[in-house]
């Protein structure tokens, strides 16, 4: 792994580069290979990303949904700490780099067509930039056509203003 | 809800249609509205979709990651059964319509920026078209740069050949 990339500034246009030149992963094969093979050959989308679901290893709650490019996925596998790719900032991003709210990966799974990964993590403090443990802090009432008022379920576990630089949250 | 859409054949090009004309959801407001408001105003992507993570209400395991357009989301909320939008078939899709392996939604959550929903479901048989309970039936070993051989963890809970029409899986 090219560890020299850590901490570099965001590289605009990174998603437009072909991933194959530097990806440590082989290209996806047939559907049968993807589904029943034992080779990790992630099916990155047109932007070079797979979806990642992070759940709390202790409670099972979904903490967040984010994306990984080949580098983020490779770093997560190699280090056991969650790395993502920010679509808005076009940059590789270590979870907790700013906040200290890192995610230690206890287990990683890949789905049938290898375009999504699931990581079970030990989350420091909270995963959500709003200060909650999980990004999914509001429930949608069911069975009420038109009655779509969200119900807040989770309290803040930290003060986002004290953690994130002004304007970043 | 316009129930006349159920069971209609796939409509190619549906994703290219503007969603706003028929969406029962208001358009997203400010970041503050999205994050701290109590109105469900999903932030659909350029294809009119949000990401949906379905977890097993009993075990907490992630069963699948899929997508919902406004209609699928509205039907899921109104009926308490999971509906999705198939990107490959460009069609609304009720989970279990072919297989009988439906998902009854116990709880729905929406994330901070309202571009993803999490549903806890009671899954009949298995969620994965390969026959497993979960689509995430393979683990990725951690800490092994280059050693990316997947480990099968889950056995099949049904025979996909007996459930899905030839060529559909």
């Amino acid at each position: 792994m090219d560890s020299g990339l850590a901490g570099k500034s965001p590289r605009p246009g990174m998603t437009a580069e072909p991933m194959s030149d530097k990806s440590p992963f082989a290209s996806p094969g047939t559907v049968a290979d993807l589904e029943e093979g034992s080779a990790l050959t992630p099916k990155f989308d047109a932007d070079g990303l797979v979806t990642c679901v992070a759940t709390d290893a202790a409670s099972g709650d979904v903490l967040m949904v984010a994306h990984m490019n080949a580098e983020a996925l490779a770093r997560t596998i190699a280090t056991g700490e969650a790395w993502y790719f920010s679509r808005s900032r076009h940059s590789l991003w270590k979870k907790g780099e700013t906040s200290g709210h890192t995610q230690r990966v206890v287990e990683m799974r890949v789905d049938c067509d290898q375009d999504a990964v699931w990581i079970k993590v030990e989350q420091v403090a909270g995963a959500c930039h709003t200060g909650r443990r999980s990004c999914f802090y509001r429930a949608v009432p069911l069975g009420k056509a038109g009655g779509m008022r969200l119900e807040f379920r989770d309290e803040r576990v930290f003060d986002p203003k004290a953690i994130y630089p002004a304007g970043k949250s």
Side-chain angles (χ1 to χ4, degrees), chain A:
Chain A
M1 293 250 301
D2 47 347
S3 58
L5 280 167
K8 276 198 181 179
S9 54
R11 300 188 294 166
M14 192 173 177
T15 54
E17 295 174 18
M19 302 302 302
S20 55
D21 289 348
K22 59 189 169 197
S23 174
F25 305 103
S27 299
T30 65
V31 170
D33 290 339
L34 276 170
E35 293 180 353
E36 303 300 333
S38 58
L40 178 59
T41 56
K43 212 170 69 181
F44 297 103
D45 68 11
D47 293 323
L49 304 174
V50 291
T51 302
C52 177
V53 180
T55 63
D56 187 313
S59 70
D61 285 348
V62 176
L63 295 172
M64 57 186 279
V65 173
H67 295 84
M68 292 179 173
N69 65 356
E71 280 183 47
L73 180 59
R75 282 173 187 271
T76 303
I77 293 169
T79 66
E81 295 278 325
W83 285 77
Y84 297 102
F85 186 85
S86 167
R87 292 182 299 178
S88 57
R89 297 192 300 273
H90 290 282
S91 63
L92 198 66
W93 160 59
K94 185 188 176 190
K95 179 66 182 166
E97 202 164 32
T98 302
S99 63
H101 302 162
T102 51
Q103 294 179 336
R104 196 180 77 79
V105 183
V106 174
E107 185 176 5
M108 178 184 282
R109 299 270 187 123
V110 65
D111 78 342
C112 45
D113 58 356
Q114 301 202 26
D115 66 355
V117 296
W118 163 26
I119 52 176
K120 298 181 193 178
V121 304
E122 290 174 353
Q123 172 71 57
V124 174
C128 187
H129 73 287
T130 69
R132 282 87 171 188
R133 177 82 176 162
S134 162
C135 294
F136 294 84
Y137 48 86
R138 289 170 297 183
V140 182
L142 299 171
K144 298 180 183 176
M148 297 174 188
R149 305 300 292 178
L150 302 174
E151 297 168 1
F152 282 74
R153 294 287 170 85
D154 302 333
E155 299 299 317
R156 285 192 171 82
V157 294
F158 66 88
D159 176 5
K161 290 191 183 71
I163 295 290
Y164 294 102
K168 200 177 177 196
S169 72

